[in-house]
Amino acid sequence: MSNNYIITIGREYGSGGHEIGEKLAEKLGIKCYDKEIIDMAIKEKGIDPEEIEKADERKGNSILHPGGHFMNGWNGKDIPAFGNFGGSKNDKIFRVESEIIHELAEKESCVIVGRCADSLLRDQENVMRVFVQAPKDVRTERIAKKYDITEERAKKEIDRVDKMRNAYYQYYTDDKWGGRNSKDFVINSAFLGIDGSVDFLKSAVEQRFR
């Protein structure tokens, strides 16, 4: 068994999950991957950058894969190449990102934000799965301030992104987005704040893996 450990972070939009992931990685002395996974897919796998941008966290073709559950029974490595049986561009990109996630998990300890990483690595014991949420009003205030938009627009954007992430996750996994049954921690980032949440998770990592 590898000595590496992985922290996966799913998050509601505006909950501060990405910031928590970055700060946690910094405190642990490891890397945090999110958009970096996309960059790696572009550089290492030869995927068109425009295809990546359009498909980022959007589900594939439900006609080709009725009912979703694309990953059911798949460990992220042994699925045939898409050229052998078809599949949408989004599915191809998901497969490439999934391969990269498994490669990262084998070679180093890291934090991975989003990308269905918790489900992709569900059979590994060296993974701590976290989902970050927060009350809607807190998220609305954070998004409105961050992007200098009205709270009404921020609410709409939160609903849109959460809906997109939920559809993406449920399509590519056989699990529920944010579901507590497959997570080790579901935390409210407003309870301890961003830094307090980071310290809490750092302590949990140290107790579990060190």
Side-chain angles (χ1 to χ4, degrees), residues 5-11 31-35 37 57 71 74-76 94-106 110-131 165 168-170 172-178 182-184:
Y5 62 89
I6 313 297
I7 299 96
T8 66
I9 298 183
R11 73 283 187 222
K31 292 182 179 179
C32 177
Y33 293 98
D34 184 3
K35 294 295 184 182
I37 293 177
E57 289 199 349
M71 276 173 39
W74 173 41
N75 64 11
F94 177 80
R95 178 181 180 273
V96 170
E97 291 183 352
S98 301
E99 290 174 350
I100 291 173
I101 286 171
H102 277 91
E103 290 168 5
L104 289 171
E106 289 179 1
C110 60
V111 174
I112 302 177
V113 180
R115 314 295 159 187
C116 300
D118 58 334
S119 192
L120 281 165
L121 302 176
R122 61 187 170 188
D123 294 329
Q124 298 192 26
E125 297 181 358
N126 60 333
V127 180
M128 188 173 85
R129 299 164 181 83
V130 178
F131 190 85
R165 288 178 178 174
Y168 178 88
Y169 190 87
Q170 292 193 355
Y172 284 115
T173 79
D174 54 2
D175 199 2
K176 182 179 179 181
W177 184 66
S182 61
K183 307 297 184 291
D184 299 301

Side-chain angles (χ1 to χ4, degrees), residues 60-73:
N61 191 331
S62 59
I63 296 177
L64 292 173
H65 304 287
H69 304 322
F70 181 75
M71 276 173 39
N72 192 20

Side-chain angles (χ1 to χ4, degrees), residues 42-89:
I42 294 171
K43 293 177 182 178
E44 297 181 12
K45 309 295 183 180
I47 304 296
D48 186 336
E50 291 187 6
E51 290 184 15
I52 293 281
E53 184 67 25
K54 291 178 182 178
D56 187 18
E57 289 199 349
R58 290 173 173 82
K59 67 185 179 69
N61 191 331
S62 59
I63 296 177
L64 292 173
H65 304 287
H69 304 322
F70 181 75
M71 276 173 39
N72 192 20
W74 173 41
N75 64 11
K77 299 178 182 179
D78 55 11
I79 191 169
F82 274 88
N84 294 337
F85 68 92
S88 71
K89 291 180 179 179

Side-chain angles (χ1 to χ4, degrees), residues 126-164:
N126 60 333
V127 180
M128 188 173 85
R129 299 164 181 83
V130 178
F131 190 85
V132 182
Q133 58 188 27
K136 186 74 169 286
D137 60 335
V138 173
R139 295 191 288 142
T140 298
E141 182 179 353
R142 179 178 285 126
I143 293 299
K145 182 178 180 180
K146 181 176 181 179
Y147 295 105
D148 191 24
I149 58 178
T150 65
E151 290 197 353
E152 181 179 358
R153 184 178 174 187
K155 288 179 181 178
K156 291 181 179 179
E157 188 66 6
I158 286 170
D159 290 340
R160 183 189 70 82
V161 175
D162 279 353
K163 183 178 180 179
M164 181 180 70

Side-chain angles (χ1 to χ4, degrees), residues 182-202:
S182 61
K183 307 297 184 291
D184 299 301
F185 293 99
V186 178
I187 65 173
N188 172 8
S189 60
F191 185 71
L192 294 175
I194 298 297
D195 291 335
S197 298
V198 171
D199 290 340
F200 172 81
L201 291 173
K202 179 175 180 289

